[in-house]
Amino acid sequence: MYQFSGKLKTFSIALIILGVIGTAFSFYSGSKLTLTDAKHAIEASNNDGHGGSHDDSHETKNHHQTESTHQNSTTHSADAHELDTHAAHEEHVLHQMQNRPWSAFYVALFFSLGLTLLVLAFYAIQRVAQVGWSVVILRVMEAITANLLPVSIIMALVIIASVMHLNHLFPWMKEGTFDPTSPNYDAIVDGKSWWINATGFLIRSLVYLLLWNVYRFYIRKNSIKEDTANDGNKTYKKNYNASVIFLFVFMITETMMSWDWIMGLDPHWFSTLFGWYVLSTLLVTALTVIAFFTIYFKGKGVLPNVNESHIHDLAKFMFGFSVFWSYLWFSQFMLIWYADIPEETTYFVARFTDYKTPFLAMIVMNFVFPVLLLINSDFKSKPWFVFIGGFVILAGHYIDVFIMIMPGTVGAQWAFGIPELSAIFFFIGLLIYTTLHAFSKANPIPEGNPFLEESKHFQYFNVENTGEGSTDHH
Amino acid sequence: MEASKVIHAFYTDDEVLLDAVKTVKAAHHHVEEVFCPFPVHGLDKAMGLAPTRLAITAFMYGITGLAVAIWLTNYIMIEDWPQDIGGKPSFSWMENMPAFVPIMFELTVFFAAHLMVITFYMRSRIWPFKDAENPDPRTTDDHFLMEIPVNNNEEELTFLLANTGAVEINIVDKH
């Protein structure tokens, strides 16, 4: 059995508290924002004086263009209209600035929820595929999915808060979007109102969260039951069937979840590939997190049967799905870039103008780096290399989620500071706490799994496992 | 050149063969060659063969293919005749880069795969109309054959091999 070390418990709780304080602070300072602050932000970007604002000149240019076209076509006096558009622009920027603490929290929340969910899906895949090698780390995956319940609750709260108009995360929730008499009326979004509406959104979101948590609750309980069941693998087969059903439900809910929670932030834009793209980014992250915890537990000596070949296989998955992510990311980008249809291209124009550095850095971190580092078979079985590669992959995919969410909510007003860092701290602390706590509650070795013996003796042909004699395998 | 003698030990099971190879290596005899009808996992390690470097060559061939693709697209589409084709930006290679990625990928894979296969054929000396170097046709069906050079120690070797479960031991002249 694993003993949750006091040091790590303190560490994770400290991270959580630090995150809560930082988040509370950023919400407090966010609530203090006024139109004057927005004015200052616009002036600062016009002056182009500060770091990262080279992108903002574009925004300003666009703004002037709309201004001049408006002037030509209106009967208002030019001065009065200019004041109007300025006021509208200031209000727009203020909303973006007010969104920042929410978005910063939402990015980390979605990232944490997504990676936990994908660990659960990967775990279900291991059961359905009756995988031999990974049985000795099934309990690690199970422990990580303990994070699902708390983050689901937080997600549900954020969604309820959004529906209650406590934030401006989702532009389509603005008052009057579906009302033709309102100045906020948006005919395009109104055309999609059979899907994008607050009631449907709320119900769907809660159903996804509920379904995932039901499987997680069931499989955890029955997996522990498996250890002592001794009933001719009846429990094992039940778990198999539950996992088959879950994977079916998961693929549908995951796709819809990506429409609701991410694509809904840019309600004018749509992409068919999006569900897979979100899936791939979360899957790479999930595998990296599994590898990290496996390496940690192996180092602590609680996973005596995990050898270099298991690490090698995890790293191979990280490598393979990094390439899969790159493939989907590029497919989405290149198809839109090539055809350059305006209503689709705006998505990448916003990202390429305001988010150029993270956008390009992400491709290096998520594609070039893992490919070059993890292509070598010898490196893949070395925990140190997997750790370095994994760290870059985690950071890179955080940036990926950041770039998915931020342009739709804060636009050019993005920054990386206290709100973002505190949210990351909070969810890392939560993940560490829930995982280690759950891992200490069950036998680290799933004794009842019929593939356990195979997994214990797993060896990839060109990896030399330490602590094994030459007679262990041929 | 003086005709040297080799000993041919036949086995009918890959596990027995593996143990025999280990025994022979433990007795410090050189295993010249092992003929098998199918790949036996761990045989290369038991014989002490150096790991293959084929993957490294493939990586370098892949980089070559990538370089060829970059040069090709840059020379043709940007330098030689930069036309406006459907509004694609042909001012610099980078600006039109996404359009070149499919061919860059394919040429990388093409070079890596084909040159690696040709390398494999050359290093393994396999080509059409090559005379088969098979000492006994049974080794392509259900027998394994271990070949050990003899240096005036026929009896010792025969005795050693007989104890390893060999079903047939022949001493043959090798030219």
Side-chain angles (χ1 to χ4, degrees):
Chain A
M1 289 292 265
Y2 169 73
Q3 195 83 37
F4 193 169
S5 80
K7 245 190 219 162
L8 263 177
K9 196 179 261 182
T10 321
F11 174 68
S12 55
I13 291 174
L15 274 182
I16 294 174
I17 293 172
L18 206 65
V20 169
I21 294 172
T23 305
F25 169 76
S26 50
F27 271 98
Y28 173 74
S29 48
S31 70
K32 289 277 184 189
L33 287 171
T34 58
L35 280 175
T36 334
D37 295 307
K39 238 177 252 176
H40 286 311
I42 296 166
E43 271 166 25
S45 67
N46 283 353
N47 293 340
D48 210 82
H50 297 287
S53 52
H54 56 281
D55 313 312
D56 297 344
S57 54
H58 175 85
E59 167 98 355
T60 324
K61 206 167 65 196
N62 266 356
H63 172 58
H64 284 307
Q65 274 163 4
T66 43
E67 235 173 69
S68 52
T69 45
H70 273 251
Q71 275 168 354
N72 293 340
S73 61
T74 183
T75 51
H76 282 288
S77 85
D79 281 353
H81 189 76
E82 194 153 302
L83 276 175
D84 268 8
T85 39
H86 264 305
H89 184 51
E90 274 157 19
E91 203 186 312
H92 177 64
V93 171
L94 176 65
H95 278 183
Q96 290 187 330
M97 289 167 75
Q98 283 171 336
N99 264 340
R100 195 178 149 205
W102 282 99
S103 311
F105 190 74
Y106 190 69
V107 170
L109 167 64
F110 180 80
F111 192 54
S112 182
L113 174 62
L115 78 88
T116 315
L117 175 66
L118 262 294
V119 171
L120 189 66
F122 189 71
Y123 172 84
I125 291 169
Q126 305 305 299
R127 282 197 173 275
V128 172
Q130 303 189 331
V131 175
W133 70 274
S134 67
V135 172
V136 291
I137 56 167
L138 280 186
R139 280 286 143 80
V140 179
M141 299 182 206
E142 245 170 52
I144 298 169
T145 59
N147 191 41
L148 189 64
L149 185 62
V151 286
S152 296
I153 292 170
I154 299 171
M155 190 59 161
L157 292 177
V158 168
I159 280 162
I160 291 167
S162 306
V163 174
M164 286 169 67
H165 302 291
L166 294 177
N167 59 45
H168 307 287
L169 281 183
F170 296 89
W172 56 268
M173 285 184 188
K174 209 175 186 180
E175 305 272 3
T177 303
F178 306 108
D179 176 7
T181 60
S182 162
N184 287 335
Y185 179 66
D186 190 329
I188 296 172
V189 179
D190 194 26
K192 302 177 181 182
S193 60
W194 62 273
W195 178 270
I196 308 181
N197 60 74
T199 326
F201 176 77
L202 183 65
I203 294 171
R204 282 195 305 271
S205 300
L206 295 181
V207 168
Y208 312 148
L209 294 171
L210 187 74
L211 288 173
W212 302 335
N213 278 286
V214 164
Y215 171 71
R216 144 76 196 165
F217 177 78
Y218 175 85
I219 203 74
R220 171 69 169 175
K221 210 181 71 186
N222 266 31
S223 169
I224 290 171
K225 218 180 185 179
E226 216 174 81
D227 284 2
T228 50
N230 211 0
D231 54 1
N233 287 336
K234 262 208 189 91
T235 317
Y236 174 81
K237 282 173 190 159
K238 255 193 207 165
N239 293 345
Y240 173 92
N241 291 336
S243 304
V244 172
I245 296 166
F246 170 72
L247 281 180
F248 180 74
V249 170
F250 165 78
M251 282 316 299
I252 294 168
T253 50
E254 193 277 335
T255 310
M256 294 189 351
M257 164 276 266
S258 72
W259 302 337
D260 273 332
W261 295 348
I262 305 288
M263 212 150 49
L265 297 165
D266 297 280
H268 288 179
W269 181 79
F270 51 89
S271 160
T272 38
L273 192 65
F274 202 70
W276 284 104
Y277 167 53
V278 173
L279 178 99
S280 67
T281 198
L282 297 177
L283 184 52
V284 179
T285 316
L287 286 159
T288 310
V289 170
I290 296 171
F292 273 24
F293 278 109
T294 306
I295 290 170
Y296 169 73
F297 288 132
K298 180 176 142 65
K300 285 278 147 193
V302 273
L303 290 174
N305 301 313
V306 171
N307 56 38
E308 282 87 343
S309 291
H310 293 103
I311 306 287
H312 186 275
D313 257 32
L314 279 171
K316 211 155 41 176
F317 266 114
M318 283 159 62
F319 172 81
F321 281 109
S322 284
V323 176
F324 179 63
W325 174 88
S326 317
Y327 166 62
L328 291 181
W329 174 84
F330 184 72
S331 300
Q332 176 160 290
F333 172 76
M334 199 263 248
L335 283 183
I336 290 175
W337 173 85
Y338 215 116
D340 207 18
I341 301 171
E343 68 260 35
E344 288 180 354
T345 304
T346 48
Y347 183 83
F348 281 111
V349 169
R351 276 148 185 82
F352 209 70
T353 49
D354 296 332
Y355 294 78
K356 199 171 210 157
T357 311
F359 188 81
L360 295 175
M362 167 184 89
I363 300 159
V364 175
M365 292 165 85
N366 292 349
F367 174 63
V368 180
F369 193 82
V371 162
L372 291 181
L373 197 74
L374 293 177
I375 200 166
N376 188 313
S377 202
D378 294 337
F379 291 177
K380 280 200 281 273
S381 58
K382 301 274 176 295
W384 259 106
F385 272 96
V386 178
F387 186 80
I388 297 169
F391 188 79
V392 175
I393 287 174
L394 282 186
H397 285 278
Y398 171 82
I399 297 175
D400 187 21
V401 175
F402 188 87
I403 293 172
M404 279 182 207
I405 291 174
M406 285 293 186
T409 55
V410 299
Q413 304 302 318
W414 73 275
F416 191 83
I418 292 174
E420 288 77 13
L421 269 178
S422 334
I424 293 173
F425 283 165
F426 176 77
F427 284 105
I428 289 178
L430 193 66
L431 178 69
I432 293 176
Y433 184 86
T434 49
T435 304
L436 299 189
H437 179 75
F439 196 71
S440 67
K441 292 285 168 203
N443 184 353
I445 300 153
E447 303 282 3
N449 196 303
F451 294 97
L452 180 62
E453 277 309 308
E454 180 183 337
S455 181
K456 279 180 179 172
H457 297 101
F458 171 64
Q459 202 227 0
Y460 183 64
F461 77 96
N462 65 353
V463 174
E464 291 284 355
N465 293 329
T466 50
E468 279 183 357
S470 58
T471 50
D472 279 343
H473 32 66
H474 290 297
Chain B
M1 198 180 145
E2 192 188 353
S4 60
K5 279 181 178 175
V6 292
I7 204 161
H8 280 173
F10 289 82
Y11 298 88
T12 49
D13 187 275
D14 51 337
E15 292 289 317
V16 178
L17 169 80
L18 264 179
D19 289 335
V21 169
K22 282 173 190 164
T23 313
V24 171
K25 291 296 284 186
H28 301 293
H29 293 292
H30 173 66
V31 179
E32 178 73 30
E33 195 68 85
V34 177
F35 295 87
C36 303
F38 53 78
V40 176
H41 285 288
L43 184 60
D44 51 342
K45 265 180 199 159
M47 289 173 70
L49 298 181
T52 172
R53 288 168 296 183
L54 212 48
I56 298 168
T57 67
F59 185 77
M60 293 193 290
Y61 295 146
I63 289 176
T64 310
L66 183 65
V68 168
I70 292 172
W71 171 79
L72 202 68
T73 49
N74 183 54
Y75 178 69
I76 296 173
M77 303 302 289
I78 309 297
E79 283 179 9
D80 191 32
W81 201 308
Q83 290 184 93
D84 181 343
I85 304 168
K88 282 279 159 287
S90 51
F91 309 111
S92 74
W93 185 80
M94 242 357 246
E95 271 179 300
N96 210 2
M97 196 271 278
F100 303 143
V101 166
I103 192 67
M104 281 155 65
F105 170 77
E106 295 295 350
L107 279 183
T108 307
V109 174
F110 180 87
F111 272 64
H114 288 82
L115 291 180
M116 180 181 74
V117 166
I118 292 168
T119 308
F120 168 71
Y121 285 155
M122 287 167 69
R123 290 291 292 156
S124 312
R125 307 183 158 276
I126 302 175
W127 52 81
F129 313 113
K130 179 191 158 81
D131 289 328
E133 295 170 358
N134 192 358
D136 192 302
R138 287 174 295 170
T139 60
T140 63
D141 183 16
D142 61 351
H143 278 64
F144 303 84
L145 190 159
M146 185 179 359
E147 186 179 287
I148 302 165
V150 179
N151 303 310
N152 301 323
N153 52 357
E154 290 174 29
E155 272 163 49
E156 183 202 342
L157 266 176
T158 314
F159 179 74
L160 182 73
L161 289 169
N163 280 332
T164 58
V167 292
E168 189 181 320
I169 299 171
N170 302 328
I171 295 171
V172 289
D173 285 335
K174 201 180 186 187
H175 300 283

